[in-house]
PDB file of all heavy atoms in Angstrom:
ATOM      1  N   ASN A1153     -25.655  14.390  23.599  1.00 96.00           N
ATOM      2  CA  ASN A1153     -25.190  13.088  24.279  1.00 96.00           C
ATOM      3  C   ASN A1153     -23.683  12.827  24.144  1.00 96.00           C
ATOM      4  O   ASN A1153     -23.280  11.758  23.986  1.00 96.00           O
ATOM      5  CB  ASN A1153     -26.148  11.859  24.029  1.00 96.00           C
ATOM      6  CG  ASN A1153     -27.416  12.046  24.538  1.00 96.00           C
ATOM      7  OD1 ASN A1153     -27.679  12.511  25.735  1.00 96.00           O
ATOM      8  ND2 ASN A1153     -28.453  11.867  23.674  1.00 96.00           N
ATOM      9  N   ILE A1154     -22.902  13.940  23.864  1.00 96.00           N
ATOM     10  CA  ILE A1154     -21.456  13.738  23.720  1.00 96.00           C
ATOM     11  C   ILE A1154     -20.860  13.855  25.121  1.00 96.00           C
ATOM     12  O   ILE A1154     -20.936  14.798  25.777  1.00 96.00           O
ATOM     13  CB  ILE A1154     -20.886  14.907  22.691  1.00 96.00           C
ATOM     14  CG1 ILE A1154     -21.679  14.800  21.471  1.00 96.00           C
ATOM     15  CG2 ILE A1154     -19.494  14.638  22.630  1.00 96.00           C
ATOM     16  CD1 ILE A1154     -21.334  13.661  20.586  1.00 96.00           C
ATOM     17  N   PRO A1155     -20.035  12.811  25.390  1.00 95.00           N
ATOM     18  CA  PRO A1155     -19.544  12.886  26.867  1.00 95.00           C
ATOM     19  C   PRO A1155     -18.328  13.912  26.819  1.00 95.00           C
ATOM     20  O   PRO A1155     -17.648  14.201  25.876  1.00 95.00           O
ATOM     21  CB  PRO A1155     -18.959  11.439  27.068  1.00 95.00           C
ATOM     22  CG  PRO A1155     -18.756  10.980  25.619  1.00 95.00           C
ATOM     23  CD  PRO A1155     -19.802  11.592  24.824  1.00 95.00           C
ATOM     24  N   GLY A1156     -17.962  14.348  28.159  1.00 95.00           N
ATOM     25  CA  GLY A1156     -16.886  15.219  28.319  1.00 95.00           C
ATOM     26  C   GLY A1156     -17.130  16.681  28.467  1.00 95.00           C
ATOM     27  O   GLY A1156     -16.261  17.448  28.624  1.00 95.00           O
ATOM     28  N   ALA A1157     -18.461  16.998  28.593  1.00 96.00           N
ATOM     29  CA  ALA A1157     -18.822  18.448  28.680  1.00 96.00           C
ATOM     30  C   ALA A1157     -18.181  19.135  29.931  1.00 96.00           C
ATOM     31  O   ALA A1157     -17.900  20.239  29.921  1.00 96.00           O
ATOM     32  CB  ALA A1157     -20.305  18.619  28.514  1.00 96.00           C
ATOM     33  N   GLN A1158     -18.280  18.244  30.989  1.00 96.00           N
ATOM     34  CA  GLN A1158     -17.808  18.865  32.340  1.00 96.00           C
ATOM     35  C   GLN A1158     -16.321  19.021  32.362  1.00 96.00           C
ATOM     36  O   GLN A1158     -15.768  19.777  33.218  1.00 96.00           O
ATOM     37  CB  GLN A1158     -18.143  17.856  33.460  1.00 96.00           C
ATOM     38  CG  GLN A1158     -17.304  16.587  33.514  1.00 96.00           C
ATOM     39  CD  GLN A1158     -17.837  15.522  32.477  1.00 96.00           C
ATOM     40  OE1 GLN A1158     -18.818  15.751  31.669  1.00 96.00           O
ATOM     41  NE2 GLN A1158     -17.182  14.483  32.396  1.00 96.00           N
ATOM     42  N   ASP A1159     -15.587  18.551  31.319  1.00 96.00           N
ATOM     43  CA  ASP A1159     -14.077  18.636  31.375  1.00 96.00           C
ATOM     44  C   ASP A1159     -13.575  19.830  30.577  1.00 96.00           C
ATOM     45  O   ASP A1159     -12.374  20.108  30.475  1.00 96.00           O
ATOM     46  CB  ASP A1159     -13.408  17.327  30.744  1.00 96.00           C
ATOM     47  CG  ASP A1159     -13.759  16.102  31.685  1.00 96.00           C
ATOM     48  OD1 ASP A1159     -13.933  16.252  32.910  1.00 96.00           O
ATOM     49  OD2 ASP A1159     -13.948  15.028  31.048  1.00 96.00           O
ATOM     50  N   ILE A1160     -14.486  20.562  29.910  1.00 96.00           N
ATOM     51  CA  ILE A1160     -14.198  21.560  28.974  1.00 96.00           C
ATOM     52  C   ILE A1160     -13.238  22.613  29.679  1.00 96.00           C
ATOM     53  O   ILE A1160     -12.208  22.992  29.069  1.00 96.00           O
ATOM     54  CB  ILE A1160     -15.290  22.152  28.283  1.00 96.00           C
ATOM     55  CG1 ILE A1160     -16.031  21.124  27.337  1.00 96.00           C
ATOM     56  CG2 ILE A1160     -14.990  23.514  27.467  1.00 96.00           C
ATOM     57  CD1 ILE A1160     -17.328  21.611  26.785  1.00 96.00           C
ATOM     58  N   PRO A1161     -13.664  23.279  30.771  1.00 97.00           N
ATOM     59  CA  PRO A1161     -12.907  24.332  31.406  1.00 97.00           C
ATOM     60  C   PRO A1161     -11.473  23.900  31.746  1.00 97.00           C
ATOM     61  O   PRO A1161     -10.526  24.569  31.381  1.00 97.00           O
ATOM     62  CB  PRO A1161     -13.607  24.771  32.527  1.00 97.00           C
ATOM     63  CG  PRO A1161     -14.984  24.269  32.281  1.00 97.00           C
ATOM     64  CD  PRO A1161     -14.992  23.056  31.499  1.00 97.00           C
ATOM     65  N   SER A1162     -11.291  22.779  32.303  1.00 97.00           N
ATOM     66  CA  SER A1162      -9.930  22.310  32.687  1.00 97.00           C
ATOM     67  C   SER A1162      -9.058  21.946  31.526  1.00 97.00           C
ATOM     68  O   SER A1162      -7.902  22.365  31.537  1.00 97.00           O
ATOM     69  CB  SER A1162     -10.049  21.075  33.603  1.00 97.00           C
ATOM     70  OG  SER A1162     -10.738  20.056  33.069  1.00 97.00           O
ATOM     71  N   ARG A1163      -9.762  21.338  30.450  1.00 96.00           N
ATOM     72  CA  ARG A1163      -8.993  20.920  29.276  1.00 96.00           C
ATOM     73  C   ARG A1163      -8.456  22.302  28.592  1.00 96.00           C
ATOM     74  O   ARG A1163      -7.410  22.347  28.060  1.00 96.00           O
ATOM     75  CB  ARG A1163      -9.798  20.104  28.333  1.00 96.00           C
ATOM     76  CG  ARG A1163      -9.024  19.610  27.092  1.00 96.00           C
ATOM     77  CD  ARG A1163      -9.930  18.799  26.287  1.00 96.00           C
ATOM     78  NE  ARG A1163     -10.475  17.571  26.938  1.00 96.00           N
ATOM     79  CZ  ARG A1163     -11.724  17.411  27.180  1.00 96.00           C
ATOM     80  NH1 ARG A1163     -12.625  18.356  26.874  1.00 96.00           N
ATOM     81  NH2 ARG A1163     -12.206  16.326  27.682  1.00 96.00           N
ATOM     82  N   LEU A1164      -9.437  23.249  28.415  1.00 97.00           N
ATOM     83  CA  LEU A1164      -9.093  24.522  27.696  1.00 97.00           C
ATOM     84  C   LEU A1164      -7.868  25.149  28.543  1.00 97.00           C
ATOM     85  O   LEU A1164      -6.999  25.618  27.865  1.00 97.00           O
ATOM     86  CB  LEU A1164     -10.250  25.417  27.789  1.00 97.00           C
ATOM     87  CG  LEU A1164     -10.015  26.834  27.176  1.00 97.00           C
ATOM     88  CD1 LEU A1164      -9.666  26.635  25.774  1.00 97.00           C
ATOM     89  CD2 LEU A1164     -11.313  27.558  27.305  1.00 97.00           C
ATOM     90  N   ALA A1165      -8.016  25.191  29.904  1.00 97.00           N
ATOM     91  CA  ALA A1165      -6.934  25.972  30.626  1.00 97.00           C
ATOM     92  C   ALA A1165      -5.596  25.223  30.434  1.00 97.00           C
ATOM     93  O   ALA A1165      -4.560  25.883  30.342  1.00 97.00           O
ATOM     94  CB  ALA A1165      -7.367  25.953  32.085  1.00 97.00           C
ATOM     95  N   GLN A1166      -5.623  23.885  30.248  1.00 96.00           N
ATOM     96  CA  GLN A1166      -4.378  23.118  30.175  1.00 96.00           C
ATOM     97  C   GLN A1166      -3.785  23.426  28.824  1.00 96.00           C
ATOM     98  O   GLN A1166      -2.679  23.597  28.668  1.00 96.00           O
ATOM     99  CB  GLN A1166      -4.706  21.598  30.213  1.00 96.00           C
ATOM    100  CG  GLN A1166      -3.575  20.636  30.097  1.00 96.00           C
ATOM    101  CD  GLN A1166      -3.916  19.164  30.240  1.00 96.00           C
ATOM    102  OE1 GLN A1166      -5.064  18.929  30.081  1.00 96.00           O
ATOM    103  NE2 GLN A1166      -3.013  18.344  30.589  1.00 96.00           N
ATOM    104  N   VAL A1167      -4.665  23.465  27.773  1.00 94.00           N
ATOM    105  CA  VAL A1167      -4.133  23.780  26.441  1.00 94.00           C
ATOM    106  C   VAL A1167      -3.571  25.221  26.283  1.00 94.00           C
ATOM    107  O   VAL A1167      -2.475  25.419  25.776  1.00 94.00           O
ATOM    108  CB  VAL A1167      -5.031  23.579  25.334  1.00 94.00           C
ATOM    109  CG1 VAL A1167      -4.632  24.012  23.931  1.00 94.00           C
ATOM    110  CG2 VAL A1167      -5.523  22.039  25.277  1.00 94.00           C
ATOM    111  N   ILE A1168      -4.211  26.173  26.874  1.00 96.00           N
ATOM    112  CA  ILE A1168      -3.671  27.512  26.926  1.00 96.00           C
ATOM    113  C   ILE A1168      -2.402  27.613  27.603  1.00 96.00           C
ATOM    114  O   ILE A1168      -1.432  28.324  27.023  1.00 96.00           O
ATOM    115  CB  ILE A1168      -4.752  28.329  27.615  1.00 96.00           C
ATOM    116  CG1 ILE A1168      -6.003  28.671  26.732  1.00 96.00           C
ATOM    117  CG2 ILE A1168      -4.112  29.747  28.000  1.00 96.00           C
ATOM    118  CD1 ILE A1168      -7.056  29.379  27.506  1.00 96.00           C
ATOM    119  N   ASN A1169      -2.236  26.901  28.645  1.00 95.00           N
ATOM    120  CA  ASN A1169      -0.978  26.883  29.383  1.00 95.00           C
ATOM    121  C   ASN A1169       0.002  26.200  28.611  1.00 95.00           C
ATOM    122  O   ASN A1169       1.207  26.671  28.668  1.00 95.00           O
ATOM    123  CB  ASN A1169      -1.250  26.302  30.718  1.00 95.00           C
ATOM    124  CG  ASN A1169       0.141  26.158  31.530  1.00 95.00           C
ATOM    125  OD1 ASN A1169       0.729  27.165  32.031  1.00 95.00           O
ATOM    126  ND2 ASN A1169       0.616  24.926  31.956  1.00 95.00           N
ATOM    127  N   ALA A1170      -0.190  25.025  28.110  1.00 90.00           N
ATOM    128  CA  ALA A1170       0.765  24.143  27.307  1.00 90.00           C
ATOM    129  C   ALA A1170       1.303  24.749  25.996  1.00 90.00           C
ATOM    130  O   ALA A1170       2.441  24.589  25.701  1.00 90.00           O
ATOM    131  CB  ALA A1170       0.202  22.779  27.082  1.00 90.00           C
ATOM    132  N   THR A1171       0.378  25.557  25.374  1.00 89.00           N
ATOM    133  CA  THR A1171       0.714  26.199  24.204  1.00 89.00           C
ATOM    134  C   THR A1171       0.806  27.775  24.246  1.00 89.00           C
ATOM    135  O   THR A1171       0.706  28.484  23.289  1.00 89.00           O
ATOM    136  CB  THR A1171      -0.270  25.826  23.112  1.00 89.00           C
ATOM    137  OG1 THR A1171      -1.566  26.479  23.474  1.00 89.00           O
ATOM    138  CG2 THR A1171      -0.507  24.459  22.858  1.00 89.00           C
ATOM    139  N   ALA A1172       1.268  28.242  25.409  1.00 92.00           N
ATOM    140  CA  ALA A1172       1.254  29.649  25.715  1.00 92.00           C
ATOM    141  C   ALA A1172       1.966  30.566  24.724  1.00 92.00           C
ATOM    142  O   ALA A1172       1.445  31.670  24.427  1.00 92.00           O
ATOM    143  CB  ALA A1172       1.687  29.913  27.186  1.00 92.00           C
ATOM    144  N   ALA A1173       3.061  30.052  24.353  1.00 89.00           N
ATOM    145  CA  ALA A1173       3.827  30.924  23.408  1.00 89.00           C
ATOM    146  C   ALA A1173       3.340  30.741  21.922  1.00 89.00           C
ATOM    147  O   ALA A1173       3.944  31.453  20.972  1.00 89.00           O
ATOM    148  CB  ALA A1173       5.349  30.413  23.461  1.00 89.00           C
ATOM    149  N   ASN A1174       2.446  29.875  21.728  1.00 88.00           N
ATOM    150  CA  ASN A1174       2.041  29.641  20.344  1.00 88.00           C
ATOM    151  C   ASN A1174       1.080  30.651  19.784  1.00 88.00           C
ATOM    152  O   ASN A1174       0.205  31.192  20.528  1.00 88.00           O
ATOM    153  CB  ASN A1174       1.458  28.121  20.139  1.00 88.00           C
ATOM    154  CG  ASN A1174       2.567  27.055  20.262  1.00 88.00           C
ATOM    155  OD1 ASN A1174       3.597  27.372  20.637  1.00 88.00           O
ATOM    156  ND2 ASN A1174       2.098  25.867  20.226  1.00 88.00           N
ATOM    157  N   PHE A1175       0.862  30.726  18.474  1.00 90.00           N
ATOM    158  CA  PHE A1175      -0.110  31.431  17.849  1.00 90.00           C
ATOM    159  C   PHE A1175      -1.040  30.603  17.052  1.00 90.00           C
ATOM    160  O   PHE A1175      -0.526  29.642  16.376  1.00 90.00           O
ATOM    161  CB  PHE A1175       0.320  32.586  16.954  1.00 90.00           C
ATOM    162  CG  PHE A1175       1.006  33.751  17.620  1.00 90.00           C
ATOM    163  CD1 PHE A1175       2.398  33.760  17.859  1.00 90.00           C
ATOM    164  CD2 PHE A1175       0.367  34.826  17.934  1.00 90.00           C
ATOM    165  CE1 PHE A1175       3.018  34.696  18.575  1.00 90.00           C
ATOM    166  CE2 PHE A1175       0.857  35.891  18.709  1.00 90.00           C
ATOM    167  CZ  PHE A1175       2.281  35.842  18.924  1.00 90.00           C
ATOM    168  N   SER A1176      -2.452  30.608  17.328  1.00 92.00           N
ATOM    169  CA  SER A1176      -3.261  29.657  16.712  1.00 92.00           C
ATOM    170  C   SER A1176      -3.177  29.767  15.207  1.00 92.00           C
ATOM    171  O   SER A1176      -2.908  30.763  14.636  1.00 92.00           O
ATOM    172  CB  SER A1176      -4.697  29.886  17.304  1.00 92.00           C
ATOM    173  OG  SER A1176      -5.364  31.026  16.589  1.00 92.00           O
ATOM    174  N   SER A1177      -3.775  28.703  14.563  1.00 91.00           N
ATOM    175  CA  SER A1177      -3.852  28.691  13.111  1.00 91.00           C
ATOM    176  C   SER A1177      -4.707  29.705  12.552  1.00 91.00           C
ATOM    177  O   SER A1177      -4.484  30.412  11.508  1.00 91.00           O
ATOM    178  CB  SER A1177      -4.196  27.368  12.552  1.00 91.00           C
ATOM    179  OG  SER A1177      -5.462  27.021  13.183  1.00 91.00           O
ATOM    180  N   MET A1178      -5.942  30.080  13.277  1.00 96.00           N
ATOM    181  CA  MET A1178      -6.816  31.114  12.866  1.00 96.00           C
ATOM    182  C   MET A1178      -6.149  32.477  13.059  1.00 96.00           C
ATOM    183  O   MET A1178      -6.414  33.356  12.164  1.00 96.00           O
ATOM    184  CB  MET A1178      -8.084  31.018  13.601  1.00 96.00           C
ATOM    185  CG  MET A1178      -9.147  31.872  12.902  1.00 96.00           C
ATOM    186  SD  MET A1178     -10.829  31.568  13.715  1.00 96.00           S
ATOM    187  CE  MET A1178     -11.220  29.925  13.330  1.00 96.00           C
ATOM    188  N   HIS A1179      -5.379  32.611  14.062  1.00 95.00           N
ATOM    189  CA  HIS A1179      -4.603  33.922  14.302  1.00 95.00           C
ATOM    190  C   HIS A1179      -3.736  34.077  13.040  1.00 95.00           C
ATOM    191  O   HIS A1179      -3.787  35.261  12.505  1.00 95.00           O
ATOM    192  CB  HIS A1179      -3.845  33.874  15.513  1.00 95.00           C
ATOM    193  CG  HIS A1179      -2.907  35.062  15.678  1.00 95.00           C
ATOM    194  ND1 HIS A1179      -1.648  35.010  15.186  1.00 95.00           N
ATOM    195  CD2 HIS A1179      -3.070  36.223  16.392  1.00 95.00           C
ATOM    196  CE1 HIS A1179      -1.026  36.235  15.451  1.00 95.00           C
ATOM    197  NE2 HIS A1179      -1.876  36.964  16.143  1.00 95.00           N
TER     198      HIS A1179
END
Side-chain angles (χ1 to χ4, degrees):
N1153 295 316
I1154 303 293
Q1158 71 281 359
D1159 300 325
I1160 291 173
S1162 60
R1163 187 182 299 113
L1164 177 63
Q1166 182 181 18
V1167 172
I1168 289 173
N1169 180 64
T1171 64
N1174 295 0
F1175 289 92
S1176 74
S1177 59
M1178 193 174 294
H1179 172 277

